[in-house]
Amino acid sequence: GYCVTDTASRKKLLAKIDTAVKAGRKLGMYVIIDWHILNDNDPNMHIDDAKDFFDRISKKYASYGNVIYEIANEPNGETTWDSVKSYAETIIPIIRKNAPDAIIIVGTPTWSQDVDVAAADPITDQTNLMYAVHFYAATHKDDLRNKVQSALDSGLPVFVSEFGLCDASGNGSIDYDQSDAWFDLINDKNLSYAAWNISNKAETSSLFDSSCTKKSGFTDDDLSDSGRYIKEKIES
């Protein structure tokens, strides 16, 4: 989107962000502004665009206490923590210049799973940082939970900024046993989390049933199996 489209398309994207941030503030909700890398693997590939974006965005929303900045979604491929850390150490001061107290979420390598690697060499001389871990319960099990536990034991602040109950494709069957195991850890360590995804797409990770076309007035019958499970966890 943002790095490969024309000026008019970028303006539309910025307008969507503005709508979300202002609606979130009105409703008492946090909004995560996420620089969503994926196929570009390493966030340094578009670092100049990121510098411009986060300077513009953090300046505009400097007084908004509900904005959280996730500066690199899911570094992957051969991208190392050294590379991600270098990127973060460039972007964080740009945000801090405008929004000194905002929460910033730093992605970790291997699709935001290597929080243990980040914990061994964390960013220093900065405050209000958290480190992202993403999981899909049917794919990511004890091995990743052990990484999260290790990072937490080292004192690293961890934010589950994306997760699902199914496999990493966003589809397949819900693994209720593994989902329960993840929520045992989340609740025991009081971790913040954000589920993927609020849509009615015909896939397991969607929180609404594909038959639901409403935009308001939802009931539990409008939710998918994933949606009902996650709603129950939020309310419990």
Side-chain angles (χ1 to χ4, degrees):
Y2 192 83
C3 293
V4 296
T5 50
D6 56 26
T7 300
S9 297
R10 287 192 182 197
K11 285 182 178 178
K12 288 181 181 178
L13 290 169
L14 292 169
K16 287 181 181 291
I17 292 171
D18 193 59
T19 297
V21 169
K22 289 176 179 175
R25 184 166 73 165
K26 184 177 180 180
L27 294 168
M29 297 174 66
Y30 288 107
V31 174
I32 300 175
I33 299 179
D34 171 30
W35 187 251
H36 201 93
I37 70 161
L38 183 61
N39 294 330
D40 35 355
N41 300 339
D42 187 327
N44 290 291
M45 187 178 297
H46 292 291
I47 193 168
D48 288 339
D49 289 306
K51 287 160 66 175
D52 174 73
F53 175 82
F54 281 109
D55 183 44
R56 179 186 308 199
I57 288 293
S58 61
K59 198 173 292 178
K60 183 170 185 176
Y61 302 116
S63 65
Y64 286 61
N66 68 316
V67 173
I68 297 172
Y69 300 92
E70 185 164 11
I71 59 176
N73 171 77
E74 296 193 344
N76 62 84
E78 300 301 316
T79 306
T80 64
W81 170 241
D82 284 346
S83 185
V84 176
K85 183 181 180 184
S86 172
Y87 166 85
E89 288 175 334
T90 299
I91 300 299
I92 290 167
I94 292 171
I95 297 173
R96 284 284 171 257
K97 179 181 66 176
N98 301 316
D101 298 320
I103 294 171
I104 297 173
I105 303 173
V106 180
T108 56
T110 318
W111 292 275
S112 283
Q113 294 172 46
D114 292 344
V115 285
D116 57 330
V117 177
D121 182 26
I123 295 164
T124 57
D125 301 323
Q126 294 288 347
T127 58
N128 287 357
L129 297 185
M130 303 193 80
Y131 295 78
V133 67
H134 293 177
F135 74 82
Y136 284 83
T139 300
H140 307 117
K141 304 179 182 181
D142 282 339
D143 285 351
L144 185 51
R145 282 193 293 273
N146 289 340
K147 285 187 172 191
V148 174
Q149 185 64 64
S150 173
L152 293 169
D153 289 345
S154 298
L156 197 77
V158 174
F159 193 121
V160 183
S161 59
E162 179 183 325
F163 78 95
L165 313 180
C166 51
D167 66 41
S169 72
N171 229 324
S173 300
I174 293 174
D175 191 326
Y176 286 102
D177 289 342
Q178 290 296 323
S179 297
D180 287 346
W182 273 107
F183 269 93
D184 286 344
L185 177 62
I186 285 169
N187 291 331
D188 181 55
K189 300 300 180 181
N190 198 29
L191 302 181
S192 294
Y193 58 88
W196 181 265
N197 64 84
I198 297 179
S199 78
N200 63 348
K201 185 179 178 182
E203 64 179 12
T204 311
S205 60
S206 298
L207 300 185
F208 288 99
D209 190 84
S210 59
S211 65
C212 177
T213 58
K214 297 177 181 177
K215 294 185 178 179
S216 62
F218 303 109
T219 69
D220 284 2
D221 290 338
D222 298 315
L223 301 177
S224 66
D225 290 340
S226 288
R228 282 188 285 272
Y229 178 97
I230 291 168
K231 179 174 180 283
E232 181 182 328
K233 293 300 183 184
I234 291 170
E235 291 176 338
S236 63

